[in-house]
Structure formats: structure tokens, C-alpha cells
Amino acid sequence: MMIPESFAVELVPWKEAVALSKDLGECIRGKYHPDLVIAIGRGGYVPGRVVCDSLLITTLTSIKIEHWGEAANCYGEAHIRYPLSVDVEGQDLLVVDDVTDTGKTLIAAIEYLQSLRPGSIKTGVLHHKTTSTFIPDFYAKMVPEWHWIVYPWALHEDLVGFVEKVMTGRSATPGKIRSTLNKRYHMRPGMDDVVFAARELVERGIAEETGDGYRLKNIL
Amino acid sequence: MMIPESFAVELVPWKEAVALSKDLGECIRGKYHPDLVIAIGRGGYVPGRVVCDSLLITTLTSIKIEHWGEAANCYGEAHIRYPLSVDVEGQDLLVVDDVTDTGKTLIAAIEYLQSLRPGSIKTGVLHHKTTSTFIPDFYAKMVPEWHWIVYPWALHEDLVGFVEKVMTGRSATPGKIRSTLNKRYHMRPGMDDVVFAARELVERGIAEETGDGYRLKNIL
């Protein structure tokens, strides 16, 4: 899947992300009572914790799934980076993540977990995009029009990628970077967060500071 | 350590918990750059995820530590319930939890992690209570006057314990339960949350519904 040059990005505020996490818990209550909740790292950490509190489940652990291929997106092949450390044979598992986009993350998670011979596996996410080939058992919200979703716990790392995409070899002030982000991705991050991302690009040697802004280095 | 009959309980709202998590990230930035962040389950899941975003670290995993002895408190002996699933030999580790109260959780975590021969271990929490025998390397806020802290991601499970403590064999309405919680613990949970906790006690067979409220069962 190719990422287009311009598309809509939704910055989910904390309040909404928490509400969706609670909604996910409510979706699951009474329908499934897992022995163990498995948060997918790193997007499932906050939803997983909130779902446990909604369902009053104290058994929470995590696995980390990474994607090969292009950095900072979910379109490479998924593989298990950090496996489980406990025996789940015969147990009823609930796997929690933030979003189904292509569905590759949850497909990889289930394939891995099936090999451990659990009793059952069900999946829950905050946003289920209908572009996903995988349909989770539970989701707080369906997303029929594809757009990129930035969760508040990933704001900085996602923003570093977006700021890099809108920067060029010509100097741009933080205000200019922010207005380009708005024009191209329809997002309005805080100015502090834009500066944070630009400074990180400088630290990584990708960008440099100019008198009043930032520009990419080594642009031919 | 005995838990007294009446003490102050602080319900930390989401907004403050997120702000403290970001503050913890700011405390650490520039002072320590871990190879791996380890969230202590379950209190460290949200702070750990936020700290990773502040430090732009993608390597996040978790361990779960439980306490023997009295249920629903942290005063029993701590032991590792879910260990790490990855090799950390030679790596610089950051262990993140919500609070240091007695300090037993982090002491157990460090003892366990030391056995895996990492390069270094540092610890960070949101609230460091000065009652703790263990002093974390980083904390967002020091708590000199001991009180119980309820994090928003543990509100329901903590509240079930507190509601049970204030219920008796005589029927009490949710409003009465809430005012007793306020009198005894100086906390003001939402009425919905009080009802949620009371219903959970009914489901567990500890309490029963009366015409207009709840009472404990099997009180001699």
C-alpha cells in the first residue's frame, strides 16, 4: 500500500482516547470474560489498562509487534518482537490494540497466540477502519473513511514523521511548518509539539536550525 | 504495616495523571537514555507509554509484580508474576511505575532485573511517597504526607475495595455510601462509579441489593 502525499490526520485528544477505551470495555462486558488481557505494544498499553479496569481484570500482560519495511508506518510485514513470558495454554485471551488499519498486526498476533494453544482468543480495538482485512471482535468506533489516526500517547513520535514530510531544504518557521501540516494533513498540533518534533529532527541530524526556523539537511 | 480505619484518598483525574507522566518524561530527558523501557504491571502501563513518547523510545515492554498477603494492597511480599521475555544483558533499562509507597515493588523489580545482568537500571514514578524505603531515580512529584493515591486507570478496582470497607450489614443507598466514602476517606467519586462498585460486590456474592441500596451479606 502506498501512502499518498496528502491525507487527513485525526489527532485524538486524551479525553476522547480514554472515553473510547472505556467504551471498548463496555462493549466487552458480559460478552467475554478473558483469563488474560494482552496489550499489543505499544498502541494497546493505554486501552489495555483501561479495559482491565472496566472489566475488573487484574491479569494484564503485553507483546510487542513490529512491522518490517518502511519505518514509522504499519505497512510492512508484522512480526513478534517481544513474545509472551507466560503459559497461556487453555486460557481465554483478550488482545487489545489501538486500531485496525491493514489488520496485519492482529493477524500476526493471533497466528502467534494460536501456536500457544489458548482456550480462545478475542480481539478489541478503539478504532476499526473498514480498510482492515481483519475484523476485530470488539471495537469502540468504526471508521468508514480511511484517515490516519494519531493517539495522544504517540503524538510526539508520529509528529516527528509528519514534520519531516513537510520540511524542505528551504527554511521554514514553526508557524509555517504548522500551517503546511494543516494544509496537507488537516491537523492542528500545538506549536510546542511542532517545535519538539523539529528539534528532534535536528538532533537526529536530519534537519538543521536556521535563524528563525528549520530546514532539511543534505537536500540535493 | 496496618491500614488505618480512616485516611485521605486522592482520586487523580486523567488530565493530571497524563501531565505527571509527561513531567516524568521531562525529568528523564537528557539525563538517561534507556535501551528499553519496562512498565511495571499494571500501574506503569500508562506512564510507561507516555514516557516513551516523550523520550521518543520505541522499545517498551512490561513485567508484572504481585504482592502476597492481603488482597488489594501493596503490603505483602512482592514477587515477579510475569517475567521479561527478552534478553536485556548489557542494556540500559528504565523501569516505570505509578508510585513508590513502601518501595517493595521497585525493590523486587530491581532484584529481578539485576539477575539478568543489564548494563544499568534506573527507575521512574509519578508519585514518590517519602514513606518508601526505596528512592526512585526520577519522579514527577514528591508526596511528603502519606495518603492513598487512586490513579484514573485503577479507579474501578480501587473503588470496589473502598466501597466494601464502608458497607455494613445495614442497607445504604449509593448516596449514603458516597457520603461515607467522603467522610472516611475524603474522596468524592462519581455516583456512577459508586454504583458500579456496589454492583460488582453483588456480583461477587459479597453484597446484596435491597429496595433502595446495598448491604453486605453474611454479616454475623
Side-chain angles (χ1 to χ4, degrees):
Chain A
M1 181 167 172
M2 287 291 296
I3 301 180
E5 188 59 16
S6 169
F7 51 87
V9 173
E10 178 186 0
L11 303 184
V12 180
W14 270 101
K15 196 172 175 175
E16 187 179 338
V18 168
L20 288 168
S21 301
K22 289 181 182 176
D23 289 349
L24 177 59
E26 288 306 311
C27 290
I28 300 167
R29 179 198 314 289
K31 298 199 194 72
Y32 188 56
H33 194 85
D35 297 309
L36 180 66
V37 175
I38 300 173
I40 303 269
R42 293 158 292 137
Y45 270 62
V46 178
R49 180 64 191 90
V50 174
V51 163
C52 278
D53 191 50
S54 292
L55 302 180
L56 296 169
I57 289 173
T58 60
T59 45
L60 172 64
T61 189
S62 65
I63 58 175
K64 186 173 198 293
I65 294 187
E66 281 181 355
H67 298 263
W68 303 114
E70 257 186 284
N73 73 54
C74 300
Y75 302 112
E77 284 307 309
H79 69 286
I80 308 298
R81 178 73 180 80
Y82 305 151
L84 278 183
S85 64
V86 283
D87 181 19
V88 296
E89 189 170 334
Q91 294 205 13
D92 297 322
L93 310 179
L94 175 68
V95 180
V96 176
D97 203 359
D98 46 6
V99 67
T100 47
D101 188 303
T102 64
K104 284 182 183 176
T105 303
L106 285 179
I107 290 168
I110 286 183
E111 189 184 308
Y112 162 66
L113 294 171
Q114 282 292 14
S115 74
L116 306 175
R117 309 205 304 173
S120 66
I121 307 175
K122 291 202 182 290
T123 54
V125 298
L126 303 187
H127 292 99
H128 168 50
K129 298 183 187 175
T130 54
T131 48
S132 171
T133 54
F134 178 85
I135 301 172
D137 299 290
F138 307 103
Y139 50 85
K141 194 171 179 180
M142 189 193 279
V143 181
E145 298 274 332
W146 187 91
H147 61 275
W148 190 283
I149 299 174
V150 175
Y151 295 93
W153 47 81
L155 178 64
H156 289 115
E157 57 185 66
D158 283 6
L159 208 50
V160 170
F162 285 111
V163 167
E164 185 179 356
K165 279 179 201 287
V166 302
M167 280 176 73
T168 67
R170 288 175 61 183
S171 173
T173 62
K176 171 69 182 161
I177 293 171
R178 188 166 177 271
S179 72
T180 311
L181 286 170
N182 185 13
K183 197 154 54 183
R184 206 176 304 168
Y185 303 114
H186 314 293
M187 67 158 107
R188 295 179 179 279
M191 195 68 94
D192 284 358
D193 296 321
V194 171
V195 171
F196 179 100
R199 285 195 180 141
E200 174 66 19
L201 290 168
V202 171
E203 200 147 309
R204 293 182 190 178
I206 293 168
E208 63 190 357
E209 289 202 47
T210 59
D212 60 350
Y214 302 89
R215 68 172 163 231
L216 293 182
K217 279 166 76 171
N218 309 321
I219 294 290
L220 299 180
Chain B
M1 182 165 173
M2 285 292 294
I3 301 180
E5 188 58 17
S6 168
F7 51 88
V9 174
E10 178 186 1
L11 303 184
V12 180
W14 270 102
K15 196 171 176 175
E16 186 178 337
V18 168
L20 287 168
S21 300
K22 290 181 180 175
D23 289 348
L24 176 59
E26 289 306 311
C27 290
I28 299 167
R29 178 197 314 291
K31 300 198 192 74
Y32 189 56
H33 194 86
D35 297 308
L36 181 66
V37 175
I38 301 171
I40 303 271
R42 292 158 295 137
Y45 269 62
V46 177
R49 180 64 192 92
V50 174
V51 162
C52 280
D53 191 51
S54 292
L55 302 179
L56 296 169
I57 289 172
T58 61
T59 45
L60 172 64
T61 190
S62 65
I63 57 177
K64 187 174 198 292
I65 295 186
E66 282 181 356
H67 297 263
W68 302 114
E70 258 186 286
N73 74 53
C74 299
Y75 301 112
E77 282 308 309
H79 69 285
I80 308 297
R81 178 75 180 77
Y82 305 152
L84 277 182
S85 64
V86 285
D87 180 19
V88 296
E89 189 169 334
Q91 294 204 16
D92 297 321
L93 309 178
L94 176 67
V95 180
V96 176
D97 203 358
D98 46 6
V99 65
T100 46
D101 189 302
T102 63
K104 283 182 183 176
T105 303
L106 285 178
I107 289 168
I110 285 183
E111 187 183 308
Y112 163 66
L113 293 171
Q114 282 292 12
S115 72
L116 306 175
R117 306 203 306 172
S120 65
I121 305 174
K122 291 202 182 289
T123 54
V125 297
L126 304 186
H127 292 98
H128 168 51
K129 297 183 187 175
T130 53
T131 46
S132 171
T133 53
F134 178 84
I135 300 171
D137 298 291
F138 306 103
Y139 50 85
K141 195 170 177 180
M142 188 192 279
V143 181
E145 298 275 331
W146 187 90
H147 60 277
W148 191 284
I149 299 174
V150 175
Y151 294 94
W153 47 80
L155 177 64
H156 289 115
E157 56 185 66
D158 283 6
L159 208 50
V160 170
F162 285 113
V163 167
E164 185 180 355
K165 279 179 202 284
V166 302
M167 278 174 77
T168 66
R170 289 175 61 182
S171 174
T173 63
K176 172 67 183 164
I177 293 172
R178 188 166 177 270
S179 73
T180 311
L181 286 170
N182 183 14
K183 196 154 56 183
R184 203 171 314 162
Y185 301 115
H186 314 293
M187 65 158 109
R188 294 178 179 278
M191 195 68 93
D192 283 359
D193 298 321
V194 171
V195 171
F196 179 101
R199 285 195 181 143
E200 175 65 20
L201 290 168
V202 171
E203 200 148 309
R204 293 183 189 176
I206 294 168
E208 63 190 357
E209 288 202 49
T210 59
D212 60 349
Y214 304 89
R215 69 171 162 233
L216 293 182
K217 278 165 77 173
N218 309 322
I219 293 291
L220 299 180

